[in-house]
Amino acid sequence: MSKLIIRGGKPLFGNVRVGGRKNSALAVIPATLMGDGPSILENIPDIADVNIYLNILRDMGVKVDRLDSNTLSINPDSMHTEVVPEDRAKKIRASYYLLGALLAKKGRVEVALPGGCDIGLRPIDQHIKGLKALGAKVEVEHGAIVASADKLIGTNIYLDVVSVGATANIILAAVFAEGTTVIENAAKEPHIVDLANYLNAMGARVVGAGTDVIKIKGVEELHGATHAIIPDEIEAATFMMAAAATRGDVTIENIIPKHLDPITAKLREAGVEIEENGDKLRVIGKRRPSAVNVKTIPYPGFPTDAQQPMTAFLSISQGTSIVSETVWEGRFKHVDELQRMGTKIKVEGRTAIIEGVGELTGAPVRATDLRAGAALLIAGLIAKGETELSGVEHIERGYENVAAKFKDLGGDITKETVVETEEVAK
Ligand code: UD1
């Protein structure tokens, strides 16, 4: 177990570079298995979820080489099984992408039901509906999903809910299907576009990614390709909120400002100054933020993954903010911990009512999931006195060098007693 010791109350200043998008990398990495020959992936974040995924691939015989800390070469030609190792698959949510990728490539796949953050019920019925519509036989046996098909045939699939995972999984499965697959009510997140761009670079024919109708024309084969992952908008959002909340002045680099529009709009509404300059955003927190209301909705709405950090940011606002979480029903677990630091937040079902307080005070707190950890980190940077933040392994699932990056911005933050939860081969 490791802890972050944060002595808050210091404004953050300087420049920080954002890494590759976690949720994009976690979709593109399994897609490499569908090509013949190696793919080179650039801007891959060096985070625990990615490293667990790479170990899954290694266990399956795939040749994974780290060319530098953020560049990988993945060659699936030596893959010897379509059975995904259960213990590792259960640790991450995105292991579900192996369903679509391996069903398409091998005609059969066996993968444990996925894990991931505990933020409420996380069904995969829409993934299964999509694979079945393409002609696969899908069964759950002893906690594992087994999918198989002699041949997949393109068809029209309407998603009952807008699901990032189901959209990406169906795209993967449909790449080699005979004829054309049409996904309606598809997720429009930029990482869906990133996945489609990578697949198209490999020889796939995916059109419409980024809209709610995506068409996939089946092809016979894919080859390896070189692809750079888009920047992580949630890492960027976390730095933006921390900069503004500590009344600092931080320039966030290597981002696509358009992807951050919902965050930028809300922070500006709260009185934060934000200047856009190419692939950089300068965030200046000149005064105590004003209260704003936030509702999470799929892209291009306010992202659910930024809701928890935003709750921490709003905890010191002037007035009362209402935060509505429409995507995950269990995503306010960070609030109990925030209360230890002096916040005044009341949770009613999927709504948090935040009465802004003048200051927070440091306390021992625990991250229960990835973005809860980000919220507590921001609160610790705001708070007077010392915050001892445990459960850091959750934060490290999605943030690369988090303590060092905040330290470079002048944050007083140190990491203590690290014990790896996963033996990570890098
Ligand atoms: C992905 C992200 C996660 C983010 C979420 C929403 C990854 C690895 N994780 O998760 O960080 O919070 O998108 O942006 O990329 N649903 C169903 N049936 C399904 C699938 C989903 O009912 O088969 C529901 C879920 O319960 C949830 C909503 O749809 O209420 C959105 O889920 P989805 O977009 O699928 O999230 P994930 O892909 O799991």
Side-chain angles (χ1 to χ4, degrees):
M1 289 247 306
S2 41
K3 283 180 186 165
L4 293 179
I5 310 295
I6 309 161
R7 287 171 206 88
K10 296 181 181 66
L12 300 178
F13 286 102
N15 292 40
V16 62
R17 192 183 155 82
V18 165
R21 189 179 285 217
K22 169 177 91 73
N23 288 343
S24 211
L26 294 175
V28 166
I29 288 170
T32 61
L33 304 183
M34 297 170 66
D36 296 327
S39 278
I40 306 292
L41 301 183
E42 298 164 351
N43 206 28
I44 293 282
D46 188 1
I47 52 175
D49 271 18
V50 161
N51 289 319
I52 292 170
Y53 223 123
L54 298 179
N55 281 344
I56 291 176
L57 265 49
R58 289 186 179 103
D59 286 350
M60 297 173 73
V62 176
K63 191 167 177 326
V64 179
D65 294 307
R66 195 175 280 275
L67 306 183
D68 64 44
S69 54
N70 299 109
T71 308
L72 299 171
S73 163
I74 303 180
N75 189 342
D77 292 352
S78 49
M79 181 166 65
H80 53 64
T81 179
E82 75 292 344
V83 180
V84 181
E86 185 191 343
D87 51 338
R88 294 201 207 275
K90 278 180 7 197
K91 285 188 181 159
I92 50 171
R93 179 83 186 147
S95 53
Y96 54 36
Y97 290 135
L98 292 164
L99 268 179
L102 292 178
L103 178 67
K105 177 77 175 177
K106 298 268 186 190
R108 187 180 185 281
V109 55
E110 204 176 309
V111 59
L113 285 162
C117 280
D118 180 14
I119 50 177
L121 279 180
R122 303 189 75 174
I124 56 163
D125 56 297
Q126 297 302 305
H127 303 231
I128 292 174
K129 169 177 138 170
L131 301 184
K132 282 186 171 168
L134 290 167
K137 189 173 153 212
V138 186
E139 280 165 353
V140 176
E141 292 170 6
H142 312 293
I145 308 168
V146 183
S148 58
D150 293 333
K151 178 158 107 171
L152 295 173
I153 298 175
T155 185
N156 279 28
I157 300 165
Y158 180 88
L159 294 179
D160 300 332
V161 290
V162 179
S163 161
V164 172
T167 302
N169 230 342
I170 296 167
I171 293 175
L172 291 168
V175 161
F176 297 135
E178 197 179 288
T180 301
T181 300
V182 181
I183 309 173
E184 289 180 79
N185 199 26
K188 296 183 285 216
E189 267 70 2
H191 34 289
I192 298 288
V193 180
D194 206 25
L195 173 67
N197 286 343
Y198 169 61
L199 287 168
N200 288 342
M202 298 171 87
R205 295 176 69 188
V206 182
V207 293
T211 77
D212 56 9
V213 180
I214 300 176
K215 294 186 182 158
I216 307 112
K217 239 181 178 179
V219 295
E220 300 268 308
E221 58 185 22
L222 298 183
H223 50 79
T226 297
H227 180 75
I229 299 291
I230 58 171
D232 196 294
E233 89 290 25
I234 307 298
E235 187 192 5
T238 306
F239 284 116
M240 290 169 78
M241 291 170 195
T246 59
R247 298 193 207 165
D249 181 346
V250 174
T251 298
I252 295 143
E253 300 177 351
N254 188 37
I255 52 155
I256 299 174
K258 177 88 196 125
H259 295 168
L260 285 154
D261 278 353
I263 312 282
T264 304
K266 276 294 153 190
L267 291 182
R268 280 188 176 143
E269 199 181 318
V272 180
E273 266 183 43
I274 302 179
E275 293 166 11
E276 192 181 314
N277 180 9
D279 68 349
K280 298 185 182 84
L281 279 182
R282 181 175 172 200
V283 179
I284 311 162
K286 282 203 174 139
R287 59 171 176 86
R288 188 174 165 195
S290 314
V292 295
N293 295 337
V294 175
K295 188 176 188 173
T296 64
I297 20 181
Y299 190 82
F302 191 94
T304 170
D305 290 352
Q307 176 266 106
Q308 291 154 297
M310 190 67 177
T311 306
F313 167 77
L314 290 175
S315 71
I316 50 151
S317 64
Q318 212 146 15
T320 303
S321 309
I322 300 191
V323 174
S324 314
E325 173 57 66
T326 73
V327 181
W328 301 112
E329 79 272 18
R331 208 156 204 189
F332 283 121
K333 291 190 179 143
H334 56 301
V335 168
D336 280 350
E337 296 299 295
L338 282 176
Q339 304 288 51
R340 294 177 198 276
M341 302 177 73
T343 62
K344 281 196 186 156
I345 306 174
K346 198 167 146 205
V347 175
E348 286 178 4
R350 288 177 167 227
T351 303
I353 301 143
I354 306 168
E355 200 187 310
V357 294
E359 65 175 32
L360 304 184
T361 45
V365 288
R366 178 165 186 78
T368 49
D369 63 73
L370 167 58
R371 307 301 171 186
L376 293 166
L377 184 49
I378 292 174
L381 290 163
I382 302 170
K384 289 229 159 76
E386 188 173 290
T387 294
E388 194 180 294
L389 172 54
S390 56
V392 177
E393 64 280 4
H394 291 292
I395 302 176
E396 290 177 340
R397 287 186 40 210
Y399 290 87
E400 181 176 318
N401 293 331
V402 69
K405 282 188 176 183
F406 277 107
K407 216 173 182 155
D408 283 351
L409 294 174
D412 186 343
I413 174 165
T414 37
K415 187 173 158 184
E416 278 187 358
T417 56
V418 192
V419 175
E420 295 281 355
T421 50
E422 163 88 354
E423 255 181 55
V424 173
K426 289 180 181 174

